[in-house]
Amino acid sequence: MKISDYPFTQEAAEAVRSRNISLDSLLDKSLFQSVRSRAAERLRGAVGGEAIPDGRASSESEQLFELLSYPLARVMVSCLNDPILLRRYALAEAKLAFRRMQHEKEGLVVLANDLGINPQGQGPWKIHFSEYIRAAHRMHSPKWKLTNRDLSEGYLTVTDVELRRLLEEAIREKVLKGLPVSVDERICQGLEEYLAPVKRDLEALAAKQKIDLGEVKEGAFPPCIKKMLSEVSKGANLAHSARFALVSFLLQINMTPDEVIALFATSPDFDQDRTRYQVEHIAGATGTRYKPPACATMATYGNCPGEDDLCRRIRHPLSYYERRSIMLKPGAISSAKEGQT
Ligand code: SF4
């Protein structure tokens, strides 16, 4: 296993530490120009939801530069401190490692051990259920549910492909853990030439994803959203489908993930990290920005409390909000009346 292929491992961190290269020299020395460019490349691949180019390193110096680009990329991502970028970055690093894992045989077990997973056998592998749960708890496909696995004496079996997928997920969590790191403003300024294009990519992404409905107008919320908000404010737990509809609606009308997360802080089962993960996932952290369901689907799931006059003329809660917002604009009613005379 080449440690520069897995720069998030313990061994890689120790290799970087043992070189005793300061952050200042990484920033200033022309020798490390390619490290800075590679670190920025790691980020830009992440913003676009594309893969980070492999950049396989063969010579010793190339491997060292590949290794160093990882902690520098963490510094860069922390300077920008954008929640969607953080998630996308962790995912992109995990996907890069996953591609590299396809070439591993014995190295796979070494990598797994570093991530706290101790697979036994030669493949198919036996994994202790506690390690499995830790790696698979965010994987929602039914096949990953513990109840669908062959649990026997504390161990379950995973195929070679499944082990790599579990490692990918463990890597994503490991990369995300501890981000953003605390970075001096001076360091971020020194990296501006590399950060500016990433910021532009982020702004372009945000502009593409948002529907321009202007400022949030609570009075324009449809009855379904008002009811859900009222239940959340009373500390009630929403069903999964209602929670999804509410979160996706609020994000689409330009509330920030932080504002949406704050709304759920009174829920009895509030778990900050879990809520953040779910909200940012719906906001597009993994590439798809979700929209709330149409009225027909809302009704199917029991999330439509009953129509009002405007509901009868629209088919989507966002259309309700858009139309009601126009009606609520100052002067809208008098203009309409003037138009009638
Ligand atoms: S008709 Fe649509 S917008 Fe109106 S309350 Fe039902 S789901 Fe909401």
Side-chain angles (χ1 to χ4, degrees), residues 222-224 295 298 303-307 311 314 316-317 320:
C224 48
C295 297
M298 295 279 279
N303 292 327
C304 173
E307 304 171 332
C311 284
I314 51 91
H316 199 284
Y320 185 112

Side-chain angles (χ1 to χ4, degrees), residues 292-328:
C295 297
T297 312
M298 295 279 279
T300 303
Y301 283 94
N303 292 327
C304 173
E307 304 171 332
D308 66 9
D309 280 353
L310 181 52
C311 284
R312 282 188 268 282
R313 284 178 276 136
I314 51 91
R315 291 182 181 177
H316 199 284
L318 282 173
S319 309
Y320 185 112
Y321 178 79
E322 204 169 356
R323 291 213 198 169
R324 185 68 87 202
S325 299
I326 293 167
M327 291 177 191
L328 290 176

Side-chain angles (χ1 to χ4, degrees), residues 15-226:
V16 168
R17 257 195 303 276
S18 69
R19 297 282 177 156
N20 214 11
I21 298 168
S22 72
L23 189 51
D24 280 327
S25 54
L26 271 187
L27 255 57
D28 298 335
K29 287 194 176 164
S30 54
L31 170 71
F32 294 127
Q33 161 70 48
S34 57
V35 175
R36 296 192 286 275
S37 301
R38 175 64 176 154
E41 188 175 49
R42 296 184 103 101
L43 259 66
R44 292 196 79 177
V47 180
E50 296 152 16
I52 299 173
D54 196 334
R56 275 187 163 260
S58 25
S59 72
E60 202 176 315
S61 63
E62 282 172 345
Q63 288 179 28
L64 174 65
F65 284 9
E66 179 69 5
L67 259 185
L68 291 172
S69 71
Y70 173 74
L72 188 57
R74 287 177 73 83
V75 168
M76 288 182 178
V77 95
S78 300
C79 285
L80 294 168
N81 195 9
D82 177 290
I84 292 195
L85 175 62
L86 293 180
R87 298 271 177 202
R88 284 194 170 197
Y89 169 67
L91 184 68
E93 287 287 359
K95 286 193 176 303
L96 173 61
F98 181 75
R99 290 204 310 280
R100 289 172 167 174
M101 260 184 252
Q102 306 311 313
H103 308 282
E104 298 294 351
K105 288 193 173 64
E106 296 81 21
L108 204 61
V109 176
V110 179
L111 178 62
N113 291 166
D114 187 278
L115 295 162
I117 299 172
N118 298 285
Q120 294 172 19
Q122 300 289 320
W125 306 87
K126 294 278 177 203
I127 296 189
H128 194 263
F129 82 96
S130 60
E131 294 171 358
Y132 177 86
I133 290 173
R134 227 179 18 248
H137 73 285
R138 290 198 197 277
M139 289 149 82
H140 299 303
S141 161
K143 79 165 187 171
W144 295 108
K145 290 201 181 312
L146 200 56
T147 46
N148 293 334
R149 312 298 306 199
D150 65 334
L151 186 61
S152 167
E153 294 176 2
Y155 285 82
L156 49 86
T157 312
V158 294
T159 65
D160 213 51
V161 175
E162 287 172 338
L163 176 62
R164 287 165 213 263
R165 180 66 191 89
L166 285 172
L167 297 186
E168 181 189 3
E169 181 59 15
I171 292 164
R172 192 191 64 75
E173 291 226 343
K174 183 165 186 179
V175 172
L176 192 57
K177 202 172 169 189
L179 283 178
V181 293
S182 163
V183 189
D184 195 300
E185 189 51 36
R186 177 185 61 84
I187 301 282
C188 296
Q189 281 166 6
L191 287 165
E192 189 52 31
E193 110 182 62
Y194 300 94
L195 296 179
V198 185
K199 276 185 208 162
R200 281 198 295 276
D201 290 351
L202 275 173
E203 281 162 12
L205 180 71
K208 206 166 74 183
Q209 289 181 331
K210 294 221 166 182
I211 294 176
D212 185 13
L213 291 173
E215 278 177 39
V216 171
K217 298 179 187 77
E218 246 185 281
F221 285 172
C224 48
I225 299 298
K226 279 185 183 158

